[in-house]
Amino acid sequence: MTPTMSDVAVIGGGPGGSTVATHLARGGLSVTLFEREVFPRFKVGESLVPATMLLLDRLGVLERVERGGYQVKYGATFHDQETNLGHTFYFLEGMPWPNWTYNVPRADFDALLLDHSRKQGVVVHMPATVAGMAFDADGVTLEVDSGGDRVTHRARFLVDASGRDGFLAARLGRRSRVPNLGKVAAFAHVRGGRRFEGREVGNVRIYLFEGGWFWWIPMSNDLASVGAVVHARDARAHAGQPEALFDAMVKRCDAVAEHLTHAERVTPIHLTANFAYTNAPIAGDRFLAVGDAIAFVDPIFSSGVFIAIRSGELAAEAILAAFGDGRFTARRFAAYERKIWRGVAPFFKFIHKYYEPSFLDLFLQPRDTFGMVRAVLNVLSGGAFIRMPWRVRASLALLFGIARINTWVRRRAGKPTESRLEW
């Protein structure tokens, strides 16, 4: 069979894959995308951060998203059941992005982004599984299972947007789990749960309890995404019983139990594990990775979709430049790698600190001394992956410095200082 051909082949049709494909097609390249599942499909990660709106605008799809009827959110509420401390953060006004964003059913949202890619000229094969690849000096040859047939595709460049599967890392490199962030999540969609009023109706709610935490993401049509993130030992105690695990965690968390009083599940309980990792390599001769194929960050700050779209945007810039000067070596993409790791670093830093009591005390009782609250909100909004002024960097350094002092104070007082969710 004569192989099909394109300038760029993209493996995966999620937000990262559809974003890089759209930008490349708009830049004049021929793009073929292979997605193994049939959209729409159920996917967790429904809460966006405000800077995503800026990226969707640059992608040319914001107007369609705004017509989608999605739940608007203005902030996030955090509460610790053990200490009864809590705080609601509202997103900043006067930023390059709005002070609001959306909670979206990912099945619908991802399908919308992929359909937008098609309209820009991207050739989408779905369902289609890339079963093999072979690089050479001029490009890559892919072996693809599509509709029961094995087909060959030839491209000058490859983008790995395969998500947590990590197509390239599994074949060319490695996955490194991040210490103390390896959790298990049990989650589902429910209808009829408690709805807050007014501006708070769309707020993501994070509830910490002994042994883990819950997310509660309100969506339109009286739906909510509810998930428990727990220590691996709790998951092992309910091996093969996701419903039992979920129900046991609900009993531990008073707020979620109350919110679910009149709710019904409308999806099965899903499980996912190994919540945080980094992959390598993320760039090489004639390939780049984007989104979850690069790294996965604990979802407590709702950064997943934003990182996928932002990395897809940056990847498209790097690839278009490479096609412009005809250089496709790994060294050509060193700047892309630096931007990626610099962009995700603040999220990993916050996640590591979040589980430490000394930091959580400060986070849930914030004082806007020297702009520290604004700096936190810059990170929570996604701004640290777009621009990070020196004042923000300085304020974050001060916050983490105070947290270290608080660790010393707690230790002297005989209070716990270790992470509450050790892996």
Short mmCIF file of all heavy atoms in Angstrom, two decimals, residues 14-19 43-52 55-56 73 101-102 104 106 109-110 113 161 163-164 204 213 215 217 275 277 290-313 340 343-344 347-348 351 379-382 385:
data_model
loop_
_atom_site.label_atom_id
_atom_site.label_comp_id
_atom_site.label_asym_id
_atom_site.label_seq_id
_atom_site.Cartn_x
_atom_site.Cartn_y
_atom_site.Cartn_z
N GLY A 14 -5.95 14.92 22.02
CA GLY A 14 -6.39 15.72 23.16
C GLY A 14 -6.02 17.18 22.98
O GLY A 14 -5.58 17.60 21.89
N PRO A 15 -6.19 18.00 24.02
CA PRO A 15 -5.91 19.44 23.88
C PRO A 15 -4.51 19.77 23.39
O PRO A 15 -4.33 20.68 22.58
CB PRO A 15 -6.14 19.96 25.31
CG PRO A 15 -7.15 19.04 25.88
CD PRO A 15 -6.80 17.69 25.33
N GLY A 16 -3.49 19.03 23.84
CA GLY A 16 -2.13 19.30 23.37
C GLY A 16 -1.98 18.97 21.90
O GLY A 16 -1.41 19.76 21.13
N GLY A 17 -2.47 17.80 21.49
CA GLY A 17 -2.36 17.40 20.10
C GLY A 17 -3.15 18.27 19.15
O GLY A 17 -2.65 18.68 18.09
N SER A 18 -4.38 18.59 19.51
CA SER A 18 -5.20 19.43 18.63
C SER A 18 -4.63 20.84 18.55
O SER A 18 -4.67 21.47 17.49
CB SER A 18 -6.65 19.46 19.12
OG SER A 18 -6.75 19.95 20.44
N THR A 19 -4.06 21.34 19.65
CA THR A 19 -3.48 22.69 19.64
C THR A 19 -2.28 22.77 18.71
O THR A 19 -2.21 23.66 17.85
CB THR A 19 -3.06 23.10 21.06
OG1 THR A 19 -4.21 23.23 21.88
CG2 THR A 19 -2.31 24.43 21.04
N LYS A 43 -13.34 11.94 29.91
CA LYS A 43 -11.99 12.32 30.32
C LYS A 43 -12.10 13.17 31.56
O LYS A 43 -12.97 14.05 31.66
CB LYS A 43 -11.31 13.11 29.20
CG LYS A 43 -9.85 13.47 29.46
CD LYS A 43 -8.94 12.29 29.26
CE LYS A 43 -7.48 12.72 29.34
NZ LYS A 43 -6.57 11.58 29.21
N VAL A 44 -11.21 12.95 32.52
CA VAL A 44 -11.19 13.77 33.72
C VAL A 44 -10.30 14.99 33.48
O VAL A 44 -9.51 15.02 32.54
CB VAL A 44 -10.68 12.94 34.92
CG1 VAL A 44 -9.17 12.71 34.83
CG2 VAL A 44 -11.07 13.58 36.25
N GLY A 45 -10.43 16.01 34.33
CA GLY A 45 -9.64 17.23 34.20
C GLY A 45 -10.49 18.35 33.66
O GLY A 45 -10.12 19.04 32.70
N GLU A 46 -11.63 18.59 34.29
CA GLU A 46 -12.64 19.47 33.72
C GLU A 46 -12.45 20.95 34.03
O GLU A 46 -13.13 21.79 33.42
CB GLU A 46 -14.04 19.04 34.23
CG GLU A 46 -14.44 17.63 33.86
CD GLU A 46 -14.00 16.57 34.88
OE1 GLU A 46 -13.17 16.91 35.76
OE2 GLU A 46 -14.48 15.44 34.78
N SER A 47 -11.60 21.30 34.96
CA SER A 47 -11.46 22.69 35.37
C SER A 47 -10.29 23.35 34.65
O SER A 47 -9.18 22.82 34.62
CB SER A 47 -11.24 22.75 36.89
OG SER A 47 -11.16 24.09 37.32
N LEU A 48 -10.54 24.52 34.08
CA LEU A 48 -9.51 25.28 33.37
C LEU A 48 -8.98 26.39 34.28
O LEU A 48 -9.58 26.72 35.29
CB LEU A 48 -10.08 25.88 32.09
CG LEU A 48 -10.79 24.92 31.14
CD1 LEU A 48 -11.25 25.68 29.88
CD2 LEU A 48 -9.90 23.75 30.76
N VAL A 49 -7.84 26.96 33.91
CA VAL A 49 -7.31 28.14 34.60
C VAL A 49 -7.48 29.34 33.67
O VAL A 49 -7.56 29.19 32.45
CB VAL A 49 -5.82 27.95 35.00
CG1 VAL A 49 -5.68 26.77 35.96
CG2 VAL A 49 -4.93 27.77 33.78
N PRO A 50 -7.55 30.56 34.24
CA PRO A 50 -7.89 31.73 33.42
C PRO A 50 -6.97 31.98 32.23
O PRO A 50 -7.44 32.42 31.16
CB PRO A 50 -7.82 32.89 34.42
CG PRO A 50 -8.18 32.27 35.72
CD PRO A 50 -7.55 30.90 35.68
N ALA A 51 -5.67 31.74 32.36
CA ALA A 51 -4.76 32.00 31.24
C ALA A 51 -5.08 31.12 30.03
O ALA A 51 -4.66 31.43 28.91
CB ALA A 51 -3.31 31.81 31.67
N THR A 52 -5.85 30.04 30.24
CA THR A 52 -6.28 29.21 29.12
C THR A 52 -7.10 30.02 28.13
O THR A 52 -7.05 29.76 26.92
CB THR A 52 -7.11 28.02 29.62
OG1 THR A 52 -6.43 27.37 30.69
CG2 THR A 52 -7.37 27.02 28.50
N LEU A 55 -4.94 31.57 25.55
CA LEU A 55 -4.45 30.59 24.59
C LEU A 55 -5.54 30.17 23.61
O LEU A 55 -5.27 29.98 22.41
CB LEU A 55 -3.91 29.36 25.32
CG LEU A 55 -2.85 29.59 26.40
CD1 LEU A 55 -2.32 28.25 26.90
CD2 LEU A 55 -1.72 30.45 25.88
N LEU A 56 -6.77 30.02 24.10
CA LEU A 56 -7.88 29.65 23.22
C LEU A 56 -8.17 30.76 22.21
O LEU A 56 -8.53 30.49 21.06
CB LEU A 56 -9.13 29.35 24.04
CG LEU A 56 -9.07 28.11 24.94
CD1 LEU A 56 -10.33 27.99 25.78
CD2 LEU A 56 -8.85 26.84 24.12
N LYS A 73 -16.30 30.01 36.18
CA LYS A 73 -15.77 30.02 37.54
C LYS A 73 -14.87 31.24 37.72
O LYS A 73 -14.18 31.66 36.80
CB LYS A 73 -15.01 28.74 37.87
CG LYS A 73 -13.60 28.65 37.31
CD LYS A 73 -12.82 27.51 37.95
CE LYS A 73 -11.40 27.45 37.41
NZ LYS A 73 -10.59 26.38 37.99
N THR A 101 -12.82 31.80 34.17
CA THR A 101 -12.57 30.75 33.19
C THR A 101 -13.76 29.80 33.22
O THR A 101 -14.83 30.16 33.73
CB THR A 101 -11.24 30.02 33.50
OG1 THR A 101 -10.98 29.08 32.47
CG2 THR A 101 -11.27 29.32 34.86
N TYR A 102 -13.61 28.60 32.67
CA TYR A 102 -14.73 27.66 32.60
C TYR A 102 -14.38 26.33 33.26
O TYR A 102 -13.21 25.93 33.31
CB TYR A 102 -15.08 27.36 31.13
CG TYR A 102 -15.65 28.52 30.36
CD1 TYR A 102 -14.92 29.11 29.33
CD2 TYR A 102 -16.92 29.02 30.64
CE1 TYR A 102 -15.43 30.16 28.60
CE2 TYR A 102 -17.45 30.08 29.92
CZ TYR A 102 -16.69 30.66 28.89
OH TYR A 102 -17.21 31.70 28.17
N VAL A 104 -15.42 22.56 32.26
CA VAL A 104 -15.93 22.00 31.01
C VAL A 104 -16.01 20.47 31.08
O VAL A 104 -15.11 19.83 31.62
CB VAL A 104 -15.01 22.38 29.83
CG1 VAL A 104 -14.97 23.89 29.65
CG2 VAL A 104 -13.60 21.85 30.00
N ARG A 106 -15.00 17.37 29.60
CA ARG A 106 -13.89 17.19 28.68
C ARG A 106 -14.30 16.46 27.40
O ARG A 106 -13.70 16.69 26.33
CB ARG A 106 -12.76 16.44 29.38
CG ARG A 106 -11.97 17.29 30.37
CD ARG A 106 -11.10 18.29 29.67
NE ARG A 106 -10.15 17.65 28.79
CZ ARG A 106 -9.03 17.05 29.18
NH1 ARG A 106 -8.70 17.04 30.46
NH2 ARG A 106 -8.23 16.48 28.30
N PHE A 109 -15.52 19.34 25.29
CA PHE A 109 -14.48 20.34 25.06
C PHE A 109 -13.39 19.81 24.13
O PHE A 109 -12.98 20.48 23.17
CB PHE A 109 -13.89 20.75 26.41
CG PHE A 109 -12.79 21.77 26.33
CD1 PHE A 109 -13.07 23.11 26.09
CD2 PHE A 109 -11.47 21.39 26.51
CE1 PHE A 109 -12.05 24.06 26.04
CE2 PHE A 109 -10.45 22.33 26.46
CZ PHE A 109 -10.74 23.66 26.21
N ASP A 110 -12.91 18.60 24.40
CA ASP A 110 -11.85 18.03 23.56
C ASP A 110 -12.32 17.81 22.13
O ASP A 110 -11.57 18.02 21.17
CB ASP A 110 -11.35 16.72 24.16
CG ASP A 110 -10.57 16.92 25.46
OD1 ASP A 110 -10.55 18.06 25.97
OD2 ASP A 110 -10.00 15.92 25.97
N LEU A 113 -12.22 21.12 20.28
CA LEU A 113 -10.88 21.51 19.85
C LEU A 113 -10.42 20.68 18.64
O LEU A 113 -9.78 21.22 17.72
CB LEU A 113 -9.88 21.34 20.99
CG LEU A 113 -10.05 22.24 22.22
CD1 LEU A 113 -8.89 22.03 23.19
CD2 LEU A 113 -10.16 23.70 21.84
N ALA A 161 1.74 13.55 21.33
CA ALA A 161 0.70 14.12 22.18
C ALA A 161 -0.16 12.98 22.73
O ALA A 161 -1.38 13.12 22.89
CB ALA A 161 -0.16 15.10 21.40
N GLY A 163 -0.41 11.69 25.58
CA GLY A 163 -0.88 11.77 26.95
C GLY A 163 -0.07 10.89 27.88
O GLY A 163 1.14 10.71 27.73
N ARG A 164 -0.75 10.32 28.86
CA ARG A 164 -0.09 9.54 29.89
C ARG A 164 0.56 8.27 29.34
O ARG A 164 1.41 7.67 29.99
CB ARG A 164 -1.09 9.18 31.00
CG ARG A 164 -1.53 10.41 31.79
CD ARG A 164 -2.77 10.12 32.64
NE ARG A 164 -2.55 9.08 33.62
CZ ARG A 164 -2.05 9.27 34.83
NH1 ARG A 164 -1.70 10.49 35.22
NH2 ARG A 164 -1.92 8.27 35.69
N VAL A 204 -14.21 25.90 41.93
CA VAL A 204 -13.68 24.58 42.25
C VAL A 204 -13.49 24.51 43.76
O VAL A 204 -13.04 25.49 44.39
CB VAL A 204 -12.34 24.35 41.53
CG1 VAL A 204 -11.66 23.09 42.04
CG2 VAL A 204 -12.56 24.27 40.04
N TRP A 213 -7.52 14.05 49.66
CA TRP A 213 -8.31 15.24 49.39
C TRP A 213 -9.31 14.95 48.26
O TRP A 213 -9.14 14.02 47.48
CB TRP A 213 -7.43 16.43 49.03
CG TRP A 213 -6.55 16.29 47.81
CD1 TRP A 213 -5.29 15.77 47.76
CD2 TRP A 213 -6.87 16.67 46.47
NE1 TRP A 213 -4.80 15.81 46.49
CE2 TRP A 213 -5.74 16.37 45.67
CE3 TRP A 213 -7.97 17.27 45.86
CZ2 TRP A 213 -5.70 16.61 44.29
CZ3 TRP A 213 -7.95 17.52 44.49
CH2 TRP A 213 -6.82 17.20 43.72
N TRP A 215 -11.62 16.70 45.04
CA TRP A 215 -12.00 17.84 44.20
C TRP A 215 -13.51 17.80 43.97
O TRP A 215 -14.12 16.74 43.93
CB TRP A 215 -11.23 17.84 42.88
CG TRP A 215 -11.67 16.84 41.83
CD1 TRP A 215 -12.82 16.83 41.09
CD2 TRP A 215 -10.91 15.70 41.39
NE1 TRP A 215 -12.84 15.77 40.21
CE2 TRP A 215 -11.68 15.07 40.37
CE3 TRP A 215 -9.67 15.16 41.73
CZ2 TRP A 215 -11.25 13.92 39.70
CZ3 TRP A 215 -9.24 14.03 41.06
CH2 TRP A 215 -10.01 13.41 40.07
N ILE A 217 -15.87 19.85 41.22
CA ILE A 217 -15.87 20.80 40.10
C ILE A 217 -17.29 20.93 39.57
O ILE A 217 -17.80 20.03 38.89
CB ILE A 217 -14.94 20.33 38.97
CG1 ILE A 217 -13.51 20.12 39.51
CG2 ILE A 217 -14.93 21.34 37.82
CD1 ILE A 217 -12.56 19.51 38.50
N PHE A 275 0.19 9.66 39.83
CA PHE A 275 -0.30 10.99 39.55
C PHE A 275 0.74 12.00 39.10
O PHE A 275 0.40 13.02 38.58
CB PHE A 275 -1.02 11.53 40.79
CG PHE A 275 -2.48 11.70 40.56
CD1 PHE A 275 -3.22 10.69 39.98
CD2 PHE A 275 -3.11 12.88 40.90
CE1 PHE A 275 -4.56 10.85 39.75
CE2 PHE A 275 -4.46 13.04 40.67
CZ PHE A 275 -5.19 12.03 40.10
N TYR A 277 4.68 12.53 37.24
CA TYR A 277 5.86 11.96 36.62
C TYR A 277 6.43 12.97 35.63
O TYR A 277 5.78 13.95 35.25
CB TYR A 277 5.52 10.67 35.86
CG TYR A 277 4.50 10.86 34.76
CD1 TYR A 277 4.87 11.38 33.50
CD2 TYR A 277 3.16 10.57 34.94
CE1 TYR A 277 3.94 11.59 32.50
CE2 TYR A 277 2.22 10.77 33.96
CZ TYR A 277 2.61 11.28 32.73
OH TYR A 277 1.69 11.50 31.74
N VAL A 290 4.40 16.95 23.79
CA VAL A 290 3.60 18.01 24.38
C VAL A 290 2.67 17.41 25.44
O VAL A 290 2.41 16.21 25.46
CB VAL A 290 2.74 18.76 23.32
CG1 VAL A 290 3.62 19.38 22.25
CG2 VAL A 290 1.70 17.84 22.69
N GLY A 291 2.16 18.27 26.33
CA GLY A 291 1.14 17.87 27.30
C GLY A 291 1.59 16.78 28.24
O GLY A 291 2.73 16.76 28.73
N ASP A 292 0.68 15.84 28.53
CA ASP A 292 0.97 14.77 29.47
C ASP A 292 2.05 13.83 28.97
O ASP A 292 2.58 13.02 29.75
CB ASP A 292 -0.30 13.96 29.77
CG ASP A 292 -1.29 14.72 30.63
OD1 ASP A 292 -0.95 15.82 31.09
OD2 ASP A 292 -2.40 14.20 30.85
N ALA A 293 2.40 13.87 27.70
CA ALA A 293 3.52 13.08 27.19
C ALA A 293 4.85 13.64 27.69
O ALA A 293 5.88 12.98 27.59
CB ALA A 293 3.51 13.04 25.67
N ILE A 294 4.85 14.88 28.23
CA ILE A 294 6.03 15.48 28.85
C ILE A 294 6.05 15.20 30.34
O ILE A 294 7.04 14.71 30.89
CB ILE A 294 6.04 17.00 28.64
CG1 ILE A 294 6.16 17.35 27.15
CG2 ILE A 294 7.14 17.67 29.45
CD1 ILE A 294 6.00 18.83 26.86
N ALA A 295 4.95 15.52 31.00
CA ALA A 295 4.88 15.40 32.46
C ALA A 295 3.43 15.45 32.88
O ALA A 295 2.57 15.94 32.16
CB ALA A 295 5.67 16.53 33.14
N PHE A 296 3.19 14.93 34.08
CA PHE A 296 1.86 15.06 34.67
C PHE A 296 2.01 15.60 36.08
O PHE A 296 2.80 15.07 36.87
CB PHE A 296 1.13 13.72 34.69
CG PHE A 296 -0.31 13.84 35.14
CD1 PHE A 296 -1.28 14.32 34.28
CD2 PHE A 296 -0.68 13.51 36.43
CE1 PHE A 296 -2.60 14.45 34.69
CE2 PHE A 296 -1.99 13.63 36.85
CZ PHE A 296 -2.96 14.11 35.97
N VAL A 297 1.28 16.66 36.37
CA VAL A 297 1.35 17.33 37.67
C VAL A 297 0.09 16.99 38.44
O VAL A 297 -1.01 16.97 37.89
CB VAL A 297 1.45 18.86 37.49
CG1 VAL A 297 1.64 19.55 38.83
CG2 VAL A 297 2.60 19.21 36.55
N ASP A 298 0.24 16.71 39.72
CA ASP A 298 -0.90 16.51 40.61
C ASP A 298 -1.97 17.56 40.29
O ASP A 298 -1.68 18.75 40.16
CB ASP A 298 -0.40 16.67 42.05
CG ASP A 298 -1.45 16.35 43.10
OD1 ASP A 298 -2.53 16.95 43.04
OD2 ASP A 298 -1.18 15.54 44.00
N PRO A 299 -3.25 17.15 40.14
CA PRO A 299 -4.26 18.06 39.58
C PRO A 299 -4.88 19.05 40.55
O PRO A 299 -5.87 19.71 40.22
CB PRO A 299 -5.33 17.09 39.08
CG PRO A 299 -5.27 15.96 40.06
CD PRO A 299 -3.79 15.81 40.37
N ILE A 300 -4.32 19.23 41.73
CA ILE A 300 -5.00 20.03 42.75
C ILE A 300 -5.19 21.48 42.29
O ILE A 300 -6.10 22.17 42.73
CB ILE A 300 -4.25 19.95 44.09
CG1 ILE A 300 -5.18 20.33 45.25
CG2 ILE A 300 -3.00 20.79 44.08
CD1 ILE A 300 -4.66 19.93 46.61
N PHE A 301 -4.34 21.98 41.39
CA PHE A 301 -4.46 23.35 40.91
C PHE A 301 -4.99 23.44 39.48
O PHE A 301 -4.86 24.48 38.82
CB PHE A 301 -3.12 24.08 41.03
CG PHE A 301 -2.65 24.24 42.45
CD1 PHE A 301 -1.37 23.85 42.82
CD2 PHE A 301 -3.49 24.75 43.43
CE1 PHE A 301 -0.94 23.99 44.14
CE2 PHE A 301 -3.07 24.88 44.74
CZ PHE A 301 -1.79 24.50 45.10
N SER A 302 -5.57 22.35 38.96
CA SER A 302 -6.28 22.37 37.67
C SER A 302 -5.41 22.83 36.50
O SER A 302 -5.86 23.54 35.61
CB SER A 302 -7.52 23.27 37.76
OG SER A 302 -8.36 22.90 38.81
N SER A 303 -4.16 22.39 36.47
CA SER A 303 -3.23 22.91 35.48
C SER A 303 -3.10 22.04 34.22
O SER A 303 -2.46 22.45 33.25
CB SER A 303 -1.84 23.04 36.12
OG SER A 303 -1.40 21.78 36.64
N GLY A 304 -3.71 20.86 34.20
CA GLY A 304 -3.45 19.89 33.13
C GLY A 304 -3.75 20.37 31.74
O GLY A 304 -2.90 20.31 30.84
N VAL A 305 -4.97 20.85 31.48
CA VAL A 305 -5.35 21.30 30.14
C VAL A 305 -4.52 22.50 29.73
O VAL A 305 -4.08 22.61 28.58
CB VAL A 305 -6.86 21.62 30.08
CG1 VAL A 305 -7.22 22.28 28.75
CG2 VAL A 305 -7.69 20.36 30.27
N PHE A 306 -4.29 23.40 30.68
CA PHE A 306 -3.50 24.59 30.36
C PHE A 306 -2.08 24.21 29.94
O PHE A 306 -1.57 24.72 28.93
CB PHE A 306 -3.44 25.52 31.57
CG PHE A 306 -2.48 26.67 31.40
CD1 PHE A 306 -2.77 27.71 30.54
CD2 PHE A 306 -1.26 26.68 32.08
CE1 PHE A 306 -1.88 28.75 30.36
CE2 PHE A 306 -0.36 27.71 31.90
CZ PHE A 306 -0.68 28.76 31.05
N ILE A 307 -1.42 23.32 30.67
CA ILE A 307 -0.07 22.90 30.31
C ILE A 307 -0.07 22.23 28.93
O ILE A 307 0.83 22.45 28.11
CB ILE A 307 0.51 21.95 31.37
CG1 ILE A 307 0.79 22.73 32.67
CG2 ILE A 307 1.77 21.27 30.88
CD1 ILE A 307 1.23 21.85 33.83
N ALA A 308 -1.10 21.43 28.64
CA ALA A 308 -1.19 20.77 27.34
C ALA A 308 -1.29 21.80 26.21
O ALA A 308 -0.57 21.72 25.21
CB ALA A 308 -2.39 19.83 27.31
N ILE A 309 -2.18 22.78 26.37
CA ILE A 309 -2.38 23.76 25.30
C ILE A 309 -1.18 24.68 25.17
O ILE A 309 -0.74 25.00 24.06
CB ILE A 309 -3.67 24.56 25.55
CG1 ILE A 309 -4.90 23.64 25.47
CG2 ILE A 309 -3.82 25.70 24.55
CD1 ILE A 309 -6.21 24.32 25.77
N ARG A 310 -0.61 25.10 26.30
CA ARG A 310 0.56 25.98 26.24
C ARG A 310 1.76 25.28 25.62
O ARG A 310 2.47 25.85 24.78
CB ARG A 310 0.90 26.47 27.65
CG ARG A 310 2.15 27.35 27.73
CD ARG A 310 2.05 28.59 26.88
NE ARG A 310 3.18 29.49 27.10
CZ ARG A 310 3.61 30.40 26.23
NH1 ARG A 310 3.00 30.53 25.06
NH2 ARG A 310 4.63 31.18 26.52
N SER A 311 2.00 24.02 26.00
CA SER A 311 3.12 23.29 25.40
C SER A 311 2.87 23.04 23.92
O SER A 311 3.81 23.07 23.11
CB SER A 311 3.37 21.97 26.14
OG SER A 311 2.24 21.12 26.07
N GLY A 312 1.61 22.81 23.53
CA GLY A 312 1.29 22.65 22.12
C GLY A 312 1.56 23.92 21.33
O GLY A 312 2.06 23.87 20.20
N GLU A 313 1.25 25.06 21.93
CA GLU A 313 1.52 26.35 21.31
C GLU A 313 3.02 26.57 21.13
O GLU A 313 3.49 26.97 20.06
CB GLU A 313 0.90 27.45 22.16
CG GLU A 313 1.04 28.85 21.63
CD GLU A 313 0.40 29.88 22.56
OE1 GLU A 313 0.99 30.14 23.63
OE2 GLU A 313 -0.68 30.38 22.23
N ILE A 340 9.66 24.73 28.51
CA ILE A 340 8.72 23.77 29.11
C ILE A 340 9.04 23.56 30.58
O ILE A 340 8.16 23.69 31.46
CB ILE A 340 8.76 22.43 28.35
CG1 ILE A 340 8.17 22.58 26.96
CG2 ILE A 340 8.03 21.35 29.15
CD1 ILE A 340 6.71 22.96 26.93
N GLY A 343 8.35 26.47 32.67
CA GLY A 343 6.92 26.73 32.81
C GLY A 343 6.22 25.82 33.80
O GLY A 343 5.32 26.25 34.52
N VAL A 344 6.60 24.54 33.84
CA VAL A 344 5.92 23.61 34.74
C VAL A 344 6.52 23.61 36.14
O VAL A 344 5.88 23.15 37.09
CB VAL A 344 5.92 22.16 34.17
CG1 VAL A 344 5.24 22.12 32.82
CG2 VAL A 344 7.33 21.60 34.10
N PHE A 347 4.40 24.88 39.14
CA PHE A 347 3.31 23.97 39.52
C PHE A 347 3.85 22.84 40.39
O PHE A 347 3.26 22.49 41.42
CB PHE A 347 2.62 23.41 38.27
CG PHE A 347 1.87 24.43 37.47
CD1 PHE A 347 2.31 24.82 36.23
CD2 PHE A 347 0.71 25.00 37.97
CE1 PHE A 347 1.62 25.76 35.49
CE2 PHE A 347 0.00 25.94 37.24
CZ PHE A 347 0.46 26.33 35.99
N PHE A 348 4.96 22.23 39.99
CA PHE A 348 5.54 21.16 40.79
C PHE A 348 5.97 21.68 42.16
O PHE A 348 5.80 21.01 43.18
CB PHE A 348 6.75 20.55 40.06
CG PHE A 348 6.38 19.47 39.08
CD1 PHE A 348 6.53 19.66 37.72
CD2 PHE A 348 5.90 18.25 39.52
CE1 PHE A 348 6.19 18.66 36.82
CE2 PHE A 348 5.56 17.24 38.63
CZ PHE A 348 5.70 17.45 37.27
N ILE A 351 2.89 22.09 44.33
CA ILE A 351 2.32 20.80 44.72
C ILE A 351 3.14 20.17 45.84
O ILE A 351 2.59 19.67 46.82
CB ILE A 351 2.23 19.87 43.50
CG1 ILE A 351 1.20 20.39 42.51
CG2 ILE A 351 1.89 18.46 43.94
CD1 ILE A 351 -0.21 20.50 43.07
N VAL A 379 0.38 32.17 39.75
CA VAL A 379 0.64 30.77 39.46
C VAL A 379 -0.67 30.01 39.25
O VAL A 379 -0.82 29.25 38.28
CB VAL A 379 1.45 30.12 40.59
CG1 VAL A 379 1.61 28.62 40.35
CG2 VAL A 379 2.83 30.77 40.68
N LEU A 380 -1.65 30.20 40.13
CA LEU A 380 -2.91 29.47 40.04
C LEU A 380 -3.68 29.82 38.77
O LEU A 380 -4.49 29.02 38.30
CB LEU A 380 -3.79 29.76 41.26
CG LEU A 380 -3.25 29.34 42.63
CD1 LEU A 380 -4.31 29.51 43.70
CD2 LEU A 380 -2.75 27.90 42.59
N SER A 381 -3.43 30.99 38.21
CA SER A 381 -4.10 31.41 36.97
C SER A 381 -3.40 30.90 35.73
O SER A 381 -3.93 31.03 34.62
CB SER A 381 -4.18 32.94 36.91
OG SER A 381 -4.96 33.46 37.96
N GLY A 382 -2.19 30.36 35.88
CA GLY A 382 -1.42 29.90 34.73
C GLY A 382 -0.39 30.91 34.26
O GLY A 382 0.34 30.65 33.31
N PHE A 385 3.48 30.33 33.43
CA PHE A 385 3.90 29.66 32.21
C PHE A 385 3.81 30.59 31.00
O PHE A 385 4.08 30.17 29.88
CB PHE A 385 3.05 28.41 31.98
CG PHE A 385 3.72 27.34 31.15
CD1 PHE A 385 3.21 26.06 31.13
CD2 PHE A 385 4.87 27.59 30.41
CE1 PHE A 385 3.80 25.06 30.38
CE2 PHE A 385 5.47 26.61 29.65
CZ PHE A 385 4.93 25.34 29.64
#
